[in-house]
Amino acid sequence: MRYAKGHKTTTRKGIIEVASKRFRKEGVEGVGIAALMSDAGLTHGGFYAHFDSKEELFQEAMAHALDQTQEKLTRLAEADGGGLEAMIRDYLEPWHRRCPERGCAAASLGADIARYSRPTRVVFEKKLEGLIALIARHLPRGDRHMRRRVAIAIFGTMMGTLQLARAVADRRLSDQILESGVEAALNLARGPET
Amino acid sequence: MRYAKGHKTTTRKGIIEVASKRFRKEGVEGVGIAALMSDAGLTHGGFYAHFDSKEELFQEAMAHALDQTQEKLTRLAEADGGGLEAMIRDYLEPWHRRCPERGCAAASLGADIARYSRPTRVVFEKKLEGLIALIARHLPRGDRHMRRRVAIAIFGTMMGTLQLARAVADRRLSDQILESGVEAALNLARGPET
DNA sequence: TGTACATCAGTGAACGCGCGTTCACTGATGTAC
DNA sequence: TGTACATCAGTGAACGCGCGTTCACTGATGTAC
């Protein structure tokens, strides 16, 4: 073989890495195969040796992005003085509004995912379950079912407020949205009996 | 004039009406000018006599959709036994998951709006302020600033959880997401001291 | 060791297609005289 | 009242373009004998 063993796998990972960033930043329709491949240092013709279709790449890229988010939030939660509050605060920091390409794919692609095929939504669902479980694990109180319900709502609040913060034009309002989101997510985490 | 006075305005409104539905259902990139015009009973060539660009139509269609949502929520809130709870429950009912074309444009187009030009985001922002004020007006407690902050978070929660409910594949999980969203939004509305 | 052939990741021209946008035109009606 | 012309909402062919996808090919290296 004229390429080192594992070379193709490396290339494939590179394409996924690039796609996961650009899809989050520009949207799935906002970036084409040719641009992605060129970003990965290749020409567009080789694409179909790695993926069956753009949608298959999208699934992989979305999964990769959500894994990264899961890892980052896990790291934050487990750090000293971390916990759920660290996750919530980091998710709703200005860096996240500014850098969708390094952020949560649910927030940057959520409205689109709803319109994709079932297999794509299954992939999303699996990763979402991971995030929900992570949040649930760090809730201070409640039985398993209640923690799960609260975790779902906290993630919905985080994702929704981040998206709103990105969608408005005024910086001040956007800051206010992020702050409101933090406050609300923390309130939900504390539970109604505080 | 060979058309009744006000005819052009009527046609324009018809195009906006059609666009506002199809954009919400299929996404902005998911439907073309020709399809929209044909849906409105016209041919595509006439489009630019009504709008400067697809983006201008998008702004109008989004504004129209958000006005409809504002009106519906206002009606619900003002009905007997309505209030904030009626708004929250209706927003997170299964009909809304199933029918984005009749629903909230923030939920169906949120991720996209963040990527559009500033003028488009200004339009969104104005309509969002209306929704925030509506929710704030129906909160049971708090001063002006606190009501506003809570209202923002409630809307973020509603929008975020609806989007999640649409993005997952499993019906049961989707139902659970809607229920969690209702519960959380009601908790936020009640405030921390319940 | 040397030659012939197989492998296969990546190349780049080409495909049909639908997009947003432009524009010369139509044709029904209004106005001028 | 009749004729000529102006108006203008809507028509449909055409534009260049970029898209996702296909495919015959390249060329460096491995293997067979």
PDB file of all heavy atoms in Angstrom, chain C residues 8-21:
ATOM      1  P    DC C   8      -7.190  -2.930  -1.870  1.00  0.00           P
ATOM      2  OP1  DC C   8      -7.142  -3.715  -0.618  1.00  0.00           O
ATOM      3  OP2  DC C   8      -8.305  -3.103  -2.826  1.00  0.00           O
ATOM      4  O5'  DC C   8      -7.103  -1.398  -1.530  1.00  0.00           O
ATOM      5  C5'  DC C   8      -5.850  -0.695  -1.447  1.00  0.00           C
ATOM      6  C4'  DC C   8      -6.051   0.768  -1.811  1.00  0.00           C
ATOM      7  O4'  DC C   8      -5.543   1.004  -3.150  1.00  0.00           O
ATOM      8  C3'  DC C   8      -7.526   1.223  -1.870  1.00  0.00           C
ATOM      9  O3'  DC C   8      -7.604   2.549  -1.369  1.00  0.00           O
ATOM     10  C2'  DC C   8      -7.834   1.242  -3.348  1.00  0.00           C
ATOM     11  C1'  DC C   8      -6.492   1.770  -3.851  1.00  0.00           C
ATOM     12  N1   DC C   8      -6.274   1.612  -5.307  1.00  0.00           N
ATOM     13  C2   DC C   8      -5.196   2.307  -5.896  1.00  0.00           C
ATOM     14  O2   DC C   8      -4.467   2.997  -5.185  1.00  0.00           O
ATOM     15  N3   DC C   8      -4.998   2.187  -7.232  1.00  0.00           N
ATOM     16  C4   DC C   8      -5.828   1.426  -7.972  1.00  0.00           C
ATOM     17  N4   DC C   8      -5.582   1.334  -9.286  1.00  0.00           N
ATOM     18  C5   DC C   8      -6.913   0.720  -7.380  1.00  0.00           C
ATOM     19  C6   DC C   8      -7.100   0.841  -6.067  1.00  0.00           C
ATOM     20  P    DA C   9      -8.284   2.864   0.032  1.00  0.00           P
ATOM     21  OP1  DA C   9      -7.761   1.963   1.076  1.00  0.00           O
ATOM     22  OP2  DA C   9      -9.732   2.927  -0.257  1.00  0.00           O
ATOM     23  O5'  DA C   9      -7.751   4.333   0.344  1.00  0.00           O
ATOM     24  C5'  DA C   9      -6.380   4.522   0.693  1.00  0.00           C
ATOM     25  C4'  DA C   9      -5.909   5.871   0.202  1.00  0.00           C
ATOM     26  O4'  DA C   9      -5.686   5.806  -1.228  1.00  0.00           O
ATOM     27  C3'  DA C   9      -6.909   7.010   0.404  1.00  0.00           C
ATOM     28  O3'  DA C   9      -6.181   8.187   0.756  1.00  0.00           O
ATOM     29  C2'  DA C   9      -7.594   7.150  -0.941  1.00  0.00           C
ATOM     30  C1'  DA C   9      -6.505   6.750  -1.911  1.00  0.00           C
ATOM     31  N9   DA C   9      -6.999   6.082  -3.118  1.00  0.00           N
ATOM     32  C8   DA C   9      -8.022   5.165  -3.200  1.00  0.00           C
ATOM     33  N7   DA C   9      -8.239   4.731  -4.427  1.00  0.00           N
ATOM     34  C5   DA C   9      -7.291   5.396  -5.190  1.00  0.00           C
ATOM     35  C6   DA C   9      -7.000   5.372  -6.568  1.00  0.00           C
ATOM     36  N6   DA C   9      -7.657   4.618  -7.448  1.00  0.00           N
ATOM     37  N1   DA C   9      -5.997   6.165  -7.001  1.00  0.00           N
ATOM     38  C2   DA C   9      -5.337   6.914  -6.114  1.00  0.00           C
ATOM     39  N3   DA C   9      -5.517   7.024  -4.793  1.00  0.00           N
ATOM     40  C4   DA C   9      -6.523   6.232  -4.393  1.00  0.00           C
ATOM     41  P    DG C  10      -6.901   9.572   0.938  1.00  0.00           P
ATOM     42  OP1  DG C  10      -6.090  10.346   1.887  1.00  0.00           O
ATOM     43  OP2  DG C  10      -8.344   9.328   1.190  1.00  0.00           O
ATOM     44  O5'  DG C  10      -6.760  10.250  -0.486  1.00  0.00           O
ATOM     45  C5'  DG C  10      -5.458  10.561  -0.972  1.00  0.00           C
ATOM     46  C4'  DG C  10      -5.579  11.038  -2.398  1.00  0.00           C
ATOM     47  O4'  DG C  10      -6.125   9.977  -3.208  1.00  0.00           O
ATOM     48  C3'  DG C  10      -6.521  12.237  -2.601  1.00  0.00           C
ATOM     49  O3'  DG C  10      -5.787  13.285  -3.226  1.00  0.00           O
ATOM     50  C2'  DG C  10      -7.632  11.698  -3.477  1.00  0.00           C
ATOM     51  C1'  DG C  10      -6.920  10.565  -4.208  1.00  0.00           C
ATOM     52  N9   DG C  10      -7.838   9.584  -4.763  1.00  0.00           N
ATOM     53  C8   DG C  10      -8.761   8.821  -4.091  1.00  0.00           C
ATOM     54  N7   DG C  10      -9.447   8.023  -4.883  1.00  0.00           N
ATOM     55  C5   DG C  10      -8.938   8.280  -6.148  1.00  0.00           C
ATOM     56  C6   DG C  10      -9.285   7.714  -7.409  1.00  0.00           C
ATOM     57  O6   DG C  10     -10.136   6.868  -7.662  1.00  0.00           O
ATOM     58  N1   DG C  10      -8.517   8.259  -8.444  1.00  0.00           N
ATOM     59  C2   DG C  10      -7.542   9.217  -8.275  1.00  0.00           C
ATOM     60  N2   DG C  10      -6.916   9.619  -9.372  1.00  0.00           N
ATOM     61  N3   DG C  10      -7.203   9.748  -7.109  1.00  0.00           N
ATOM     62  C4   DG C  10      -7.940   9.231  -6.087  1.00  0.00           C
ATOM     63  P    DT C  11      -6.470  14.627  -3.744  1.00  0.00           P
ATOM     64  OP1  DT C  11      -5.463  15.692  -3.526  1.00  0.00           O
ATOM     65  OP2  DT C  11      -7.824  14.746  -3.180  1.00  0.00           O
ATOM     66  O5'  DT C  11      -6.607  14.371  -5.307  1.00  0.00           O
ATOM     67  C5'  DT C  11      -5.436  14.185  -6.099  1.00  0.00           C
ATOM     68  C4'  DT C  11      -5.804  14.223  -7.564  1.00  0.00           C
ATOM     69  O4'  DT C  11      -6.691  13.113  -7.861  1.00  0.00           O
ATOM     70  C3'  DT C  11      -6.554  15.482  -7.997  1.00  0.00           C
ATOM     71  O3'  DT C  11      -5.861  16.052  -9.090  1.00  0.00           O
ATOM     72  C2'  DT C  11      -7.947  14.994  -8.383  1.00  0.00           C
ATOM     73  C1'  DT C  11      -7.703  13.533  -8.750  1.00  0.00           C
ATOM     74  N1   DT C  11      -8.839  12.606  -8.544  1.00  0.00           N
ATOM     75  C2   DT C  11      -9.363  11.937  -9.620  1.00  0.00           C
ATOM     76  O2   DT C  11      -8.959  12.079 -10.761  1.00  0.00           O
ATOM     77  N3   DT C  11     -10.396  11.070  -9.328  1.00  0.00           N
ATOM     78  C4   DT C  11     -10.930  10.821  -8.080  1.00  0.00           C
ATOM     79  O4   DT C  11     -11.840  10.013  -7.946  1.00  0.00           O
ATOM     80  C5   DT C  11     -10.348  11.560  -6.989  1.00  0.00           C
ATOM     81  C7   DT C  11     -10.857  11.365  -5.600  1.00  0.00           C
ATOM     82  C6   DT C  11      -9.333  12.417  -7.258  1.00  0.00           C
ATOM     83  P    DG C  12      -5.956  17.654  -9.341  1.00  0.00           P
ATOM     84  OP1  DG C  12      -4.660  18.048  -9.928  1.00  0.00           O
ATOM     85  OP2  DG C  12      -6.467  18.312  -8.124  1.00  0.00           O
ATOM     86  O5'  DG C  12      -7.085  17.737 -10.478  1.00  0.00           O
ATOM     87  C5'  DG C  12      -6.902  16.990 -11.667  1.00  0.00           C
ATOM     88  C4'  DG C  12      -8.202  16.927 -12.438  1.00  0.00           C
ATOM     89  O4'  DG C  12      -9.060  15.910 -11.863  1.00  0.00           O
ATOM     90  C3'  DG C  12      -9.043  18.211 -12.418  1.00  0.00           C
ATOM     91  O3'  DG C  12      -9.716  18.312 -13.657  1.00  0.00           O
ATOM     92  C2'  DG C  12     -10.051  17.935 -11.320  1.00  0.00           C
ATOM     93  C1'  DG C  12     -10.342  16.485 -11.666  1.00  0.00           C
ATOM     94  N9   DG C  12     -11.038  15.737 -10.642  1.00  0.00           N
ATOM     95  C8   DG C  12     -11.091  15.989  -9.289  1.00  0.00           C
ATOM     96  N7   DG C  12     -11.811  15.121  -8.639  1.00  0.00           N
ATOM     97  C5   DG C  12     -12.268  14.237  -9.614  1.00  0.00           C
ATOM     98  C6   DG C  12     -13.088  13.092  -9.511  1.00  0.00           C
ATOM     99  O6   DG C  12     -13.593  12.602  -8.512  1.00  0.00           O
ATOM    100  N1   DG C  12     -13.303  12.485 -10.759  1.00  0.00           N
ATOM    101  C2   DG C  12     -12.782  12.941 -11.944  1.00  0.00           C
ATOM    102  N2   DG C  12     -13.089  12.237 -13.031  1.00  0.00           N
ATOM    103  N3   DG C  12     -12.004  14.007 -12.052  1.00  0.00           N
ATOM    104  C4   DG C  12     -11.794  14.609 -10.852  1.00  0.00           C
ATOM    105  P    DA C  13      -9.819  19.701 -14.431  1.00  0.00           P
ATOM    106  OP1  DA C  13      -8.463  20.109 -14.869  1.00  0.00           O
ATOM    107  OP2  DA C  13     -10.649  20.638 -13.627  1.00  0.00           O
ATOM    108  O5'  DA C  13     -10.645  19.228 -15.701  1.00  0.00           O
ATOM    109  C5'  DA C  13     -10.275  18.022 -16.372  1.00  0.00           C
ATOM    110  C4'  DA C  13     -11.521  17.266 -16.797  1.00  0.00           C
ATOM    111  O4'  DA C  13     -12.082  16.547 -15.667  1.00  0.00           O
ATOM    112  C3'  DA C  13     -12.652  18.140 -17.344  1.00  0.00           C
ATOM    113  O3'  DA C  13     -13.189  17.522 -18.503  1.00  0.00           O
ATOM    114  C2'  DA C  13     -13.663  18.183 -16.208  1.00  0.00           C
ATOM    115  C1'  DA C  13     -13.470  16.810 -15.577  1.00  0.00           C
ATOM    116  N9   DA C  13     -13.834  16.735 -14.163  1.00  0.00           N
ATOM    117  C8   DA C  13     -13.455  17.582 -13.159  1.00  0.00           C
ATOM    118  N7   DA C  13     -13.923  17.259 -11.980  1.00  0.00           N
ATOM    119  C5   DA C  13     -14.674  16.120 -12.218  1.00  0.00           C
ATOM    120  C6   DA C  13     -15.441  15.289 -11.378  1.00  0.00           C
ATOM    121  N6   DA C  13     -15.562  15.484 -10.061  1.00  0.00           N
ATOM    122  N1   DA C  13     -16.065  14.235 -11.937  1.00  0.00           N
ATOM    123  C2   DA C  13     -15.935  14.033 -13.250  1.00  0.00           C
ATOM    124  N3   DA C  13     -15.249  14.742 -14.150  1.00  0.00           N
ATOM    125  C4   DA C  13     -14.632  15.789 -13.558  1.00  0.00           C
ATOM    126  P    DA C  14     -14.232  18.265 -19.462  1.00  0.00           P
ATOM    127  OP1  DA C  14     -13.912  17.883 -20.852  1.00  0.00           O
ATOM    128  OP2  DA C  14     -14.312  19.686 -19.051  1.00  0.00           O
ATOM    129  O5'  DA C  14     -15.608  17.565 -19.045  1.00  0.00           O
ATOM    130  C5'  DA C  14     -15.675  16.144 -18.950  1.00  0.00           C
ATOM    131  C4'  DA C  14     -16.978  15.770 -18.279  1.00  0.00           C
ATOM    132  O4'  DA C  14     -16.845  15.903 -16.849  1.00  0.00           O
ATOM    133  C3'  DA C  14     -18.149  16.677 -18.674  1.00  0.00           C
ATOM    134  O3'  DA C  14     -19.035  15.948 -19.509  1.00  0.00           O
ATOM    135  C2'  DA C  14     -18.796  17.074 -17.347  1.00  0.00           C
ATOM    136  C1'  DA C  14     -18.123  16.181 -16.324  1.00  0.00           C
ATOM    137  N9   DA C  14     -17.919  16.812 -15.024  1.00  0.00           N
ATOM    138  C8   DA C  14     -17.230  17.967 -14.742  1.00  0.00           C
ATOM    139  N7   DA C  14     -17.224  18.288 -13.469  1.00  0.00           N
ATOM    140  C5   DA C  14     -17.969  17.280 -12.862  1.00  0.00           C
ATOM    141  C6   DA C  14     -18.338  17.036 -11.528  1.00  0.00           C
ATOM    142  N6   DA C  14     -17.982  17.825 -10.511  1.00  0.00           N
ATOM    143  N1   DA C  14     -19.089  15.945 -11.282  1.00  0.00           N
ATOM    144  C2   DA C  14     -19.444  15.155 -12.310  1.00  0.00           C
ATOM    145  N3   DA C  14     -19.153  15.265 -13.602  1.00  0.00           N
ATOM    146  C4   DA C  14     -18.408  16.365 -13.810  1.00  0.00           C
ATOM    147  P    DC C  15     -20.505  16.490 -19.930  1.00  0.00           P
ATOM    148  OP1  DC C  15     -20.928  15.738 -21.120  1.00  0.00           O
ATOM    149  OP2  DC C  15     -20.480  17.958 -19.950  1.00  0.00           O
ATOM    150  O5'  DC C  15     -21.376  15.987 -18.691  1.00  0.00           O
ATOM    151  C5'  DC C  15     -21.764  14.607 -18.593  1.00  0.00           C
ATOM    152  C4'  DC C  15     -22.871  14.485 -17.569  1.00  0.00           C
ATOM    153  O4'  DC C  15     -22.273  14.510 -16.247  1.00  0.00           O
ATOM    154  C3'  DC C  15     -23.834  15.648 -17.544  1.00  0.00           C
ATOM    155  O3'  DC C  15     -24.757  15.613 -18.640  1.00  0.00           O
ATOM    156  C2'  DC C  15     -24.457  15.441 -16.178  1.00  0.00           C
ATOM    157  C1'  DC C  15     -23.217  15.087 -15.329  1.00  0.00           C
ATOM    158  N1   DC C  15     -22.597  16.294 -14.663  1.00  0.00           N
ATOM    159  C2   DC C  15     -22.707  16.382 -13.265  1.00  0.00           C
ATOM    160  O2   DC C  15     -23.310  15.484 -12.648  1.00  0.00           O
ATOM    161  N3   DC C  15     -22.159  17.446 -12.627  1.00  0.00           N
ATOM    162  C4   DC C  15     -21.541  18.396 -13.332  1.00  0.00           C
ATOM    163  N4   DC C  15     -21.008  19.412 -12.641  1.00  0.00           N
ATOM    164  C5   DC C  15     -21.432  18.329 -14.755  1.00  0.00           C
ATOM    165  C6   DC C  15     -21.984  17.278 -15.370  1.00  0.00           C
ATOM    166  P    DG C  16     -26.162  15.753 -18.928  1.00  0.00           P
ATOM    167  OP1  DG C  16     -26.709  14.671 -19.800  1.00  0.00           O
ATOM    168  OP2  DG C  16     -26.235  17.131 -19.376  1.00  0.00           O
ATOM    169  O5'  DG C  16     -26.883  15.693 -17.504  1.00  0.00           O
ATOM    170  C5'  DG C  16     -27.466  14.506 -16.971  1.00  0.00           C
ATOM    171  C4'  DG C  16     -28.242  14.952 -15.763  1.00  0.00           C
ATOM    172  O4'  DG C  16     -27.360  15.729 -14.886  1.00  0.00           O
ATOM    173  C3'  DG C  16     -29.426  15.869 -16.079  1.00  0.00           C
ATOM    174  O3'  DG C  16     -30.488  15.533 -15.191  1.00  0.00           O
ATOM    175  C2'  DG C  16     -28.874  17.271 -15.844  1.00  0.00           C
ATOM    176  C1'  DG C  16     -27.932  17.020 -14.670  1.00  0.00           C
ATOM    177  N9   DG C  16     -26.838  17.998 -14.559  1.00  0.00           N
ATOM    178  C8   DG C  16     -26.121  18.583 -15.579  1.00  0.00           C
ATOM    179  N7   DG C  16     -25.202  19.417 -15.158  1.00  0.00           N
ATOM    180  C5   DG C  16     -25.315  19.390 -13.771  1.00  0.00           C
ATOM    181  C6   DG C  16     -24.577  20.088 -12.768  1.00  0.00           C
ATOM    182  O6   DG C  16     -23.661  20.901 -12.912  1.00  0.00           O
ATOM    183  N1   DG C  16     -25.017  19.760 -11.488  1.00  0.00           N
ATOM    184  C2   DG C  16     -26.017  18.886 -11.214  1.00  0.00           C
ATOM    185  N2   DG C  16     -26.299  18.700  -9.916  1.00  0.00           N
ATOM    186  N3   DG C  16     -26.707  18.212 -12.138  1.00  0.00           N
ATOM    187  C4   DG C  16     -26.313  18.513 -13.393  1.00  0.00           C
ATOM    188  P    DC C  17     -31.907  16.280 -15.317  1.00  0.00           P
ATOM    189  OP1  DC C  17     -32.960  15.285 -15.075  1.00  0.00           O
ATOM    190  OP2  DC C  17     -31.933  17.128 -16.536  1.00  0.00           O
ATOM    191  O5'  DC C  17     -31.828  17.241 -14.044  1.00  0.00           O
ATOM    192  C5'  DC C  17     -31.318  16.726 -12.802  1.00  0.00           C
ATOM    193  C4'  DC C  17     -31.331  17.843 -11.791  1.00  0.00           C
ATOM    194  O4'  DC C  17     -30.098  18.598 -11.883  1.00  0.00           O
ATOM    195  C3'  DC C  17     -32.463  18.840 -12.026  1.00  0.00           C
ATOM    196  O3'  DC C  17     -33.248  18.933 -10.845  1.00  0.00           O
ATOM    197  C2'  DC C  17     -31.774  20.154 -12.363  1.00  0.00           C
ATOM    198  C1'  DC C  17     -30.373  19.975 -11.778  1.00  0.00           C
ATOM    199  N1   DC C  17     -29.321  20.724 -12.525  1.00  0.00           N
ATOM    200  C2   DC C  17     -28.409  21.509 -11.802  1.00  0.00           C
ATOM    201  O2   DC C  17     -28.486  21.539 -10.573  1.00  0.00           O
ATOM    202  N3   DC C  17     -27.468  22.198 -12.480  1.00  0.00           N
ATOM    203  C4   DC C  17     -27.418  22.135 -13.816  1.00  0.00           C
ATOM    204  N4   DC C  17     -26.465  22.838 -14.436  1.00  0.00           N
ATOM    205  C5   DC C  17     -28.343  21.343 -14.562  1.00  0.00           C
ATOM    206  C6   DC C  17     -29.276  20.658 -13.885  1.00  0.00           C
ATOM    207  P    DG C  18     -34.728  19.524 -10.910  1.00  0.00           P
ATOM    208  OP1  DG C  18     -35.661  18.520 -10.396  1.00  0.00           O
ATOM    209  OP2  DG C  18     -34.921  20.150 -12.246  1.00  0.00           O
ATOM    210  O5'  DG C  18     -34.633  20.699  -9.845  1.00  0.00           O
ATOM    211  C5'  DG C  18     -33.915  20.541  -8.626  1.00  0.00           C
ATOM    212  C4'  DG C  18     -33.456  21.899  -8.166  1.00  0.00           C
ATOM    213  O4'  DG C  18     -32.341  22.335  -8.981  1.00  0.00           O
ATOM    214  C3'  DG C  18     -34.534  22.985  -8.295  1.00  0.00           C
ATOM    215  O3'  DG C  18     -34.612  23.670  -7.054  1.00  0.00           O
ATOM    216  C2'  DG C  18     -34.046  23.872  -9.431  1.00  0.00           C
ATOM    217  C1'  DG C  18     -32.532  23.665  -9.372  1.00  0.00           C
ATOM    218  N9   DG C  18     -31.846  23.881 -10.642  1.00  0.00           N
ATOM    219  C8   DG C  18     -32.225  23.425 -11.880  1.00  0.00           C
ATOM    220  N7   DG C  18     -31.385  23.772 -12.832  1.00  0.00           N
ATOM    221  C5   DG C  18     -30.398  24.494 -12.170  1.00  0.00           C
ATOM    222  C6   DG C  18     -29.225  25.118 -12.677  1.00  0.00           C
ATOM    223  O6   DG C  18     -28.817  25.154 -13.836  1.00  0.00           O
ATOM    224  N1   DG C  18     -28.493  25.741 -11.665  1.00  0.00           N
ATOM    225  C2   DG C  18     -28.856  25.755 -10.339  1.00  0.00           C
ATOM    226  N2   DG C  18     -28.037  26.395  -9.514  1.00  0.00           N
ATOM    227  N3   DG C  18     -29.948  25.172  -9.862  1.00  0.00           N
ATOM    228  C4   DG C  18     -30.670  24.568 -10.825  1.00  0.00           C
ATOM    229  P    DC C  19     -35.619  24.791  -6.762  1.00  0.00           P
ATOM    230  OP1  DC C  19     -36.287  24.416  -5.505  1.00  0.00           O
ATOM    231  OP2  DC C  19     -36.419  25.083  -7.977  1.00  0.00           O
ATOM    232  O5'  DC C  19     -34.656  26.008  -6.475  1.00  0.00           O
ATOM    233  C5'  DC C  19     -33.584  25.845  -5.539  1.00  0.00           C
ATOM    234  C4'  DC C  19     -32.560  26.930  -5.798  1.00  0.00           C
ATOM    235  O4'  DC C  19     -31.932  26.679  -7.068  1.00  0.00           O
ATOM    236  C3'  DC C  19     -33.176  28.304  -5.955  1.00  0.00           C
ATOM    237  O3'  DC C  19     -33.304  28.879  -4.667  1.00  0.00           O
ATOM    238  C2'  DC C  19     -32.124  29.031  -6.790  1.00  0.00           C
ATOM    239  C1'  DC C  19     -31.456  27.914  -7.594  1.00  0.00           C
ATOM    240  N1   DC C  19     -31.706  27.884  -9.060  1.00  0.00           N
ATOM    241  C2   DC C  19     -30.833  28.566  -9.906  1.00  0.00           C
ATOM    242  O2   DC C  19     -29.898  29.204  -9.403  1.00  0.00           O
ATOM    243  N3   DC C  19     -31.048  28.512 -11.246  1.00  0.00           N
ATOM    244  C4   DC C  19     -32.075  27.803 -11.736  1.00  0.00           C
ATOM    245  N4   DC C  19     -32.243  27.771 -13.072  1.00  0.00           N
ATOM    246  C5   DC C  19     -32.967  27.113 -10.881  1.00  0.00           C
ATOM    247  C6   DC C  19     -32.760  27.181  -9.567  1.00  0.00           C
ATOM    248  P    DG C  20     -34.298  30.111  -4.522  1.00  0.00           P
ATOM    249  OP1  DG C  20     -34.523  30.262  -3.075  1.00  0.00           O
ATOM    250  OP2  DG C  20     -35.432  29.934  -5.439  1.00  0.00           O
ATOM    251  O5'  DG C  20     -33.420  31.330  -5.051  1.00  0.00           O
ATOM    252  C5'  DG C  20     -32.259  31.732  -4.347  1.00  0.00           C
ATOM    253  C4'  DG C  20     -31.622  32.891  -5.075  1.00  0.00           C
ATOM    254  O4'  DG C  20     -31.361  32.508  -6.441  1.00  0.00           O
ATOM    255  C3'  DG C  20     -32.496  34.139  -5.159  1.00  0.00           C
ATOM    256  O3'  DG C  20     -31.656  35.289  -5.029  1.00  0.00           O
ATOM    257  C2'  DG C  20     -33.127  34.034  -6.548  1.00  0.00           C
ATOM    258  C1'  DG C  20     -32.032  33.359  -7.348  1.00  0.00           C
ATOM    259  N9   DG C  20     -32.547  32.542  -8.460  1.00  0.00           N
ATOM    260  C8   DG C  20     -33.574  31.632  -8.417  1.00  0.00           C
ATOM    261  N7   DG C  20     -33.815  31.060  -9.566  1.00  0.00           N
ATOM    262  C5   DG C  20     -32.891  31.619 -10.423  1.00  0.00           C
ATOM    263  C6   DG C  20     -32.669  31.391 -11.804  1.00  0.00           C
ATOM    264  O6   DG C  20     -33.259  30.632 -12.570  1.00  0.00           O
ATOM    265  N1   DG C  20     -31.623  32.174 -12.305  1.00  0.00           N
ATOM    266  C2   DG C  20     -30.890  33.063 -11.548  1.00  0.00           C
ATOM    267  N2   DG C  20     -29.932  33.732 -12.181  1.00  0.00           N
ATOM    268  N3   DG C  20     -31.085  33.282 -10.247  1.00  0.00           N
ATOM    269  C4   DG C  20     -32.101  32.528  -9.755  1.00  0.00           C
ATOM    270  P    DT C  21     -32.291  36.747  -5.047  1.00  0.00           P
ATOM    271  OP1  DT C  21     -31.355  37.626  -4.316  1.00  0.00           O
ATOM    272  OP2  DT C  21     -33.704  36.668  -4.645  1.00  0.00           O
ATOM    273  O5'  DT C  21     -32.203  37.142  -6.578  1.00  0.00           O
ATOM    274  C5'  DT C  21     -30.932  37.150  -7.229  1.00  0.00           C
ATOM    275  C4'  DT C  21     -31.102  37.442  -8.707  1.00  0.00           C
ATOM    276  O4'  DT C  21     -31.732  36.317  -9.346  1.00  0.00           O
ATOM    277  C3'  DT C  21     -31.992  38.652  -9.024  1.00  0.00           C
ATOM    278  O3'  DT C  21     -31.162  39.639  -9.643  1.00  0.00           O
ATOM    279  C2'  DT C  21     -33.051  38.105  -9.975  1.00  0.00           C
ATOM    280  C1'  DT C  21     -32.418  36.814 -10.476  1.00  0.00           C
ATOM    281  N1   DT C  21     -33.381  35.778 -10.930  1.00  0.00           N
ATOM    282  C2   DT C  21     -33.344  35.363 -12.238  1.00  0.00           C
ATOM    283  O2   DT C  21     -32.543  35.803 -13.053  1.00  0.00           O
ATOM    284  N3   DT C  21     -34.266  34.403 -12.573  1.00  0.00           N
ATOM    285  C4   DT C  21     -35.209  33.837 -11.737  1.00  0.00           C
ATOM    286  O4   DT C  21     -35.987  32.990 -12.170  1.00  0.00           O
ATOM    287  C5   DT C  21     -35.211  34.320 -10.383  1.00  0.00           C
ATOM    288  C7   DT C  21     -36.198  33.780  -9.400  1.00  0.00           C
ATOM    289  C6   DT C  21     -34.307  35.255 -10.038  1.00  0.00           C
TER     290       DT C  21
END
